[in-house]
Amino acid sequence: MNGGDGGEAVASSAGPPPPLDWKFSQVFGERTAGEEVQEVDIISAIEFDKTGDHLATGDRGGRVVLFERTDAKEHGGNRRDLERMDYPVGRHPEFRYKTEFQSHEPEFDYLKSLEIEEKINKIRWCQTANNAVFLLSTNDKTIKFWKVQEKKVKKISEMNVDPSKAAGNGSVASASVSASPNHNLANGGYLGRSYNCLSKDAPFPPRGISSLRLPVVTSNETSLVARCRRVYAHAHDYHINSISNNSDGETFISADDLRINLWNLEISNQSFNIVDVKPTNMEDLTEVITSAEFHPTHCNTLAYSSSKGSIRLIDLRQSALCDSHSKIFEEQEAPGSRSFFTEIIASISDIKFAKDGRHLLSRDYMTLKLWDVNMDSGPVATFQVHEHLRPKLCDLYENDSIFDKFECCLSGNGQRVATGSYSNLFRVFGCAAGSTEATTLEASKNPMRRQVQTPSRNSRGLSSTITRAVRRGAESPGVDANGNSFDFTTKLLHLAWHPTENSIACAAANSLYMYYA
């Protein structure tokens, strides 16, 4: 795949890159043993900005928390520039808490008698300007455009009415005190009057203040202020599952179960419906939209996935309403493999374009699939994530775990992919030609605790005819890498890969874990 550094491109021609050795970096919001997690604190969205210098998380309580990188900021430049100047650069990105703000509040739709929860579904970073960062956040119904900027805090300095602080505390000359018999004092005071004009606790001293400092406005400190610039509301009848910025920097899309709308960032009271899969009769409904994303460089191209396991590529230049797709990517099911759960586990929960725009990554319940946008005959690689859970599908259906929506991500150089699983585990797979990398890590301070390198297993049947097709990562049924039974209550749904380095941020309940390699 394209999009890597020059050195890595040379390495890939000589053979697949070696598996990465992942190490713990940081944790924010770590739970103590036995501490109960509040529902509102559970993280529901994670997103790096394009530079990798900022990270945002959203939670079920409607809050957005921002983190900023500290290791490069100390030298005042990005990592690559510092390396060129021979600055000592830290081994891995380090972040610190920057600020947080309440993005959404719980609402009630009186017309539909429907509660709208405040949970943040998605966060997307927009282009920065004038030392301010901009981002979009959305709950089920309403999208908001935020500006976060440092502002100087204006503070009024105190008057030095305390006699112990009078000396040398200002610039007013002591010669201003008159020596006349009336004993006039500095600043218009007179001994015949009461001197507690400021307060009873701080009267003027009887002989005046030799150097009185008048209050002045100072602005030494700065604070971060988040301001909602625009609210994009009342455009979706169903729950919003995706938002995605366009590469033109001016527009974005929002998608719900049946429609995709196109917005201009500057116009909040109007959007254009570009995809509508709602049938005339809702009883004829067979599939819904599950995720949508713009192409990273082509402003006219976007992809959306469906609950039937297909991905459609559409071209906005073809027509105003893009009911017809330019390409469709789907894998044909093997004959005789159909069951009650086939359609449920085929539903795609997340799609991501690679940085170069050439490849698409999709996550369904059982697998990760990598697609080449120039080849719609089938995926170029399939990675088994939950194959060991196939015998347990009935139990997963009973407890609704089969409907969990796991996210996926790609490395900046396109050589690896990652996704989450149960028991707070996540998987990293190598997708370069010939790679057998399949690593299982745990969201804890010891990520390699459950580490087992699983051998690759070539696919059989239809997908073996696909160029460079691989199927890796299958494990023994019903147990994790240590032989322990899976905990379906602890699930790692959300994770993000740093855009330029091998660093992953992932959410385990209310804790944000970061790893590097």
Side-chain angles (χ1 to χ4, degrees), residues 344 349 365 396-397 399-406 422:
I344 301 174
S349 55
Y365 189 72
L396 294 163
Y397 180 76
N399 63 22
D400 284 346
S401 294
I402 200 169
F403 302 107
D404 288 334
K405 299 184 185 307
F406 293 92
Y422 294 106

Side-chain angles (χ1 to χ4, degrees), residues 201-486:
D201 300 326
F204 278 113
R207 297 203 171 271
I209 298 175
S210 59
S211 174
L212 178 63
R213 183 182 66 197
L214 295 175
V216 292
V217 176
T218 58
S219 53
N220 297 328
E221 299 175 10
T222 59
S223 73
L224 282 158
V225 178
R227 191 162 66 89
C228 183
R229 294 286 303 275
R230 281 174 190 85
V231 177
Y232 312 91
H234 313 301
H236 288 277
D237 291 330
Y238 304 93
H239 290 178
I240 297 171
N241 55 49
S242 305
I243 51 174
S244 178
N245 307 75
N246 197 343
S247 57
D248 63 10
E250 295 179 0
T251 56
F252 71 93
I253 54 168
S254 58
D256 65 22
D257 292 342
L258 298 179
R259 292 188 178 99
I260 299 176
N261 292 334
L262 178 68
W263 301 83
N264 188 301
L265 281 167
E266 301 296 323
I267 303 167
S268 60
N269 60 356
Q270 185 182 49
S271 66
F272 296 96
N273 178 224
I274 54 174
V275 175
D276 189 349
V277 299
K278 184 178 180 181
T280 309
N281 183 358
M282 284 296 280
E283 290 181 3
D284 298 331
L285 183 68
T286 57
E287 64 180 332
V288 295
I289 298 166
T290 57
S291 182
E293 186 169 78
F294 261 120
H295 190 282
T297 54
H298 298 165
C299 62
N300 57 286
T301 304
L302 64 94
Y304 70 90
S305 59
S306 83
S307 57
K308 277 194 167 180
S310 60
I311 303 169
R312 290 172 173 84
L313 208 63
I314 60 175
D315 190 338
L316 297 176
R317 297 171 299 185
Q318 287 182 347
S319 64
L321 186 63
C322 303
D323 284 339
S324 60
H325 50 267
S326 54
K327 278 186 182 176
I328 184 168
F329 306 94
E330 55 188 352
E331 190 171 27
Q332 302 300 321
E333 60 184 75
S337 64
R338 191 166 184 82
S339 71
F340 172 76
F341 304 109
T342 300
E343 280 199 15
I344 301 174
I345 61 176
S347 178
I348 294 174
S349 55
D350 191 27
I351 58 169
K352 292 282 192 325
F353 271 103
K355 200 174 180 181
D356 59 4
R358 172 72 186 269
H359 292 83
L360 257 172
L361 182 67
S362 67
R363 170 71 205 263
D364 56 47
Y365 189 72
M366 305 298 281
T367 65
L368 266 178
K369 291 187 176 80
L370 189 68
W371 307 80
D372 187 329
V373 296
N374 293 338
M375 190 177 84
D376 53 10
S377 57
V380 293
T382 299
F383 309 97
Q384 298 295 340
V385 182
H386 282 163
E387 186 61 32
H388 56 279
L389 297 180
R390 197 173 286 276
K392 292 181 173 287
L393 289 178
C394 280
D395 298 335
L396 294 163
Y397 180 76
E398 289 293 325
N399 63 22
D400 284 346
S401 294
I402 200 169
F403 302 107
D404 288 334
K405 299 184 185 307
F406 293 92
E407 292 180 2
C408 58
C409 58
L410 298 98
S411 62
N413 58 22
Q415 293 190 347
R416 291 174 182 86
V417 295
T419 191
S421 182
Y422 294 106
S423 301
N424 283 342
L425 299 179
F426 63 100
R427 313 290 307 278
V428 179
F429 300 96
C431 54
S435 174
T436 58
E437 182 176 355
T439 310
T440 302
L441 301 125
E442 182 183 34
S444 68
K445 287 190 173 180
N446 183 13
M448 307 299 276
R449 187 170 68 177
R450 306 202 188 197
Q451 169 60 19
V452 169
Q453 279 291 345
T454 33
S456 66
R457 189 180 72 187
N458 289 331
S459 61
R460 293 286 179 266
L462 179 77
S463 57
S464 62
T465 60
I466 298 168
T467 311
R468 216 161 46 79
V470 289
R471 295 169 74 88
R472 293 200 296 280
E475 293 174 347
S476 54
V479 295
D480 64 15
N482 272 352
N484 304 316
S485 58
F486 266 78

